[in-house]
Amino acid sequence: MTKRICSFLAAVTLLLCAAMPAMAEGKLRVAFALLGTIDDRGWNTAHYKGIQQLKEALGDKIEIAYTENVGPQNAERVLRNYAQQGYDLIFGTSFPHMDAIERVAKDFPDIKFEHCSGYKMGPNLSNYFARMYQAEYLAGYTAGLMGFTRVGTVGTHPIPEPIRGINSFTLGLIRGLEEAGIAYDKSTLNTVVWMKSWADPIKETTLAETLADRDHDLIRQMADTPESSLAACARDLPAVGYGSPAEEYGADCVLTSTVFNWGNYYVQTVQSALDGTWQARSYWRGFDDDAIRLTAFGSHVPADVRAKVEALRDELAKGNDRIFAGPVKDQSGKVIIAEGQQASDADLLGMMVFVDGVSGNLPQ
C-alpha cells in the first residue's frame, strides 16, 4: 500500500512539474499593464515595441505577459493579479497607474515594480521616464532652420509634460529661425490649442484642420494618435509627429517624428533583475541613453538642415543639455530663468508656464 501511495505521489509530482510555469525553468516572469491597446499608433504602441525588443534581447531567459486597456478603474486589480501569480517584475506604463502600483508594491515587498511617468517610489518601486523635451527641441530647431514661422500645435493636457515639450519646441524653433536669419513675430510663432485628452482622433483632426484654416504653416502633433499629422498632410501642410513614427501610418508630410524608445530601458532593467543588481531608482534620461529618438527626416528636409540637427543631437547625446539655459522669459516678458542659470530637473518636472513665443492659454 505504501509503495502504491509513493508511486502515485511521484506521478502527481511529475505532472505538476510539467505543468508549472516557465519560472520552474529559471525564467524571470515580467508583466506589463498598458493603458490602451498595442495598436493605438502612439503611446501604447511605443511601449509594445519596447516589449518586443525585450523579447528579442532576452528571449528564453524571461516569460512576458501584458494586459491592454488598463485604466485607473482596473489598474489595481490587474497589477495585484500579476503579483498574486508570482510575477517577479511588474511594469505600470502610464501615469494613471501610479497610485495603484504604489499600493500593490507595498503589499508585495518581494516583487519588483516599475512605473512610467510618475514620481512615487518605494523600496521595491522605481519610476522611469524619458526626456522627450530634448527631441522636441530638435524638432523645433528643424522647423526653424526651414523657415516655419506660424506653427499650430494640437496640445493634449495642460500639465508639465506637454507644457515642457511645447516650450522646448518653441525655444528650438526660435534658435533655428535666428540661425537662418529669418524674421518672425513671437505673437504668432507657436499657437497652442487644447484637446484635453491624450487620444481623441475626431477632436484632434478637427483642431488640426482649424489651425490649417487659420494659415498656420506647420502642424505640431502632440497626441498619442497621428490624426493631426494626417490632417496636415491632407491639407498639403508639413507636420511633426510624436510618440510613434507618424510616417509609418501614412503621414508622409512630416519633417520628422519625436519618438520614445522604451526597449533599451526594458532590457537594462530586466537584465539587472536577472543579475540580482536591480535597485529602486528614479530614471529620467534622453539622447544620452537612447531613450528618445528622431525618426528619419522627410525627403523635403534639406541636407544642410539635417546635418545641423544631427550635430546638435550628438551634443545632447554627450550630456550637453543647455535647452533651458537662461535668459528665458515667459509670455508676459518676465525672466523665469536668469542669464547664467539653468532650469533644474525639479523646475522642468513642475513646469506650468509658457515661454515667450507661445501663443495660447493654460486652462485651469
Side-chain angles (χ1 to χ4, degrees), residues 105-362:
K106 287 179 179 178
D107 290 342
F108 294 87
D110 295 329
I111 295 176
K112 302 170 182 64
F113 293 85
E114 295 269 345
H115 179 238
C116 181
S117 76
Y119 54 84
K120 293 186 176 181
M121 290 186 65
N124 61 328
L125 173 61
S126 288
N127 60 56
Y128 66 100
F129 202 43
R131 292 181 184 267
M132 180 58 87
Y133 73 86
Q134 293 181 343
E136 308 275 8
Y137 185 78
L138 293 187
Y141 183 50
T142 304
L145 290 171
M146 293 180 67
F148 294 103
T149 60
R150 289 181 56 85
V151 176
T153 295
V154 181
T156 49
H157 287 284
I159 62 174
E161 179 196 341
I163 292 168
R164 186 170 60 243
I166 291 166
N167 286 340
S168 186
F169 181 94
T170 304
L171 293 173
L173 181 64
I174 291 171
R175 175 175 174 172
L177 287 167
E178 291 183 347
E179 284 189 16
I182 297 171
Y184 59 91
D185 180 351
K186 279 191 176 179
S187 68
T188 56
L189 185 59
N190 186 8
T191 300
V192 180
V193 293
W194 295 103
M195 291 170 54
K196 292 191 177 180
S197 172
W198 296 115
D200 184 337
I202 294 175
K203 189 171 186 180
E204 183 183 358
T205 298
T206 300
L207 289 175
E209 290 175 343
T210 300
L211 289 168
D213 290 342
R214 293 177 180 172
D215 296 325
H216 291 279
D217 56 10
L218 175 76
I219 301 299
R220 173 65 177 122
Q221 171 198 331
M222 294 197 76
D224 291 342
T225 43
E227 263 65 27
S228 49
S229 289
L230 291 167
C233 294
R235 297 295 183 95
D236 293 323
L237 282 178
V240 173
Y242 174 84
S244 288
E247 53 270 41
E248 289 186 2
Y249 305 108
D252 55 5
C253 65
V254 298
L255 309 182
T256 184
S257 293
T258 58
V259 301
F260 294 102
N261 184 38
W262 299 117
N264 284 0
Y265 182 76
Y266 291 153
V267 173
Q268 293 171 17
T269 302
V270 174
Q271 185 63 59
S272 72
L274 285 165
D275 296 340
T277 59
W278 184 95
Q279 290 184 331
R281 61 172 174 162
S282 184
Y283 173 98
W284 197 31
R285 302 284 291 276
F287 283 111
D288 61 337
D289 202 36
D290 197 23
I292 53 172
R293 292 177 178 174
L294 284 184
T295 59
F297 293 107
S299 59
H300 44 299
V301 179
D304 61 333
V305 171
R306 300 183 193 199
K308 287 186 175 183
V309 176
E310 288 168 353
L312 185 51
R313 181 192 60 200
D314 291 344
E315 285 301 306
L316 288 167
K318 294 174 184 176
N320 299 326
D321 183 346
R322 300 282 297 165
I323 292 171
F324 285 97
V328 176
K329 297 179 181 180
D330 68 10
Q331 286 175 307
S332 70
K334 175 184 175 183
V335 174
I336 54 175
I337 305 173
E339 187 170 0
Q341 302 296 312
Q342 185 161 335
S344 66
D345 282 357
D347 294 331
L348 296 176
L349 290 167
M351 187 167 279
M352 285 297 295
V353 61
F354 275 147
V355 299
D356 193 19
V358 179
S359 176
N361 298 318
L362 286 173

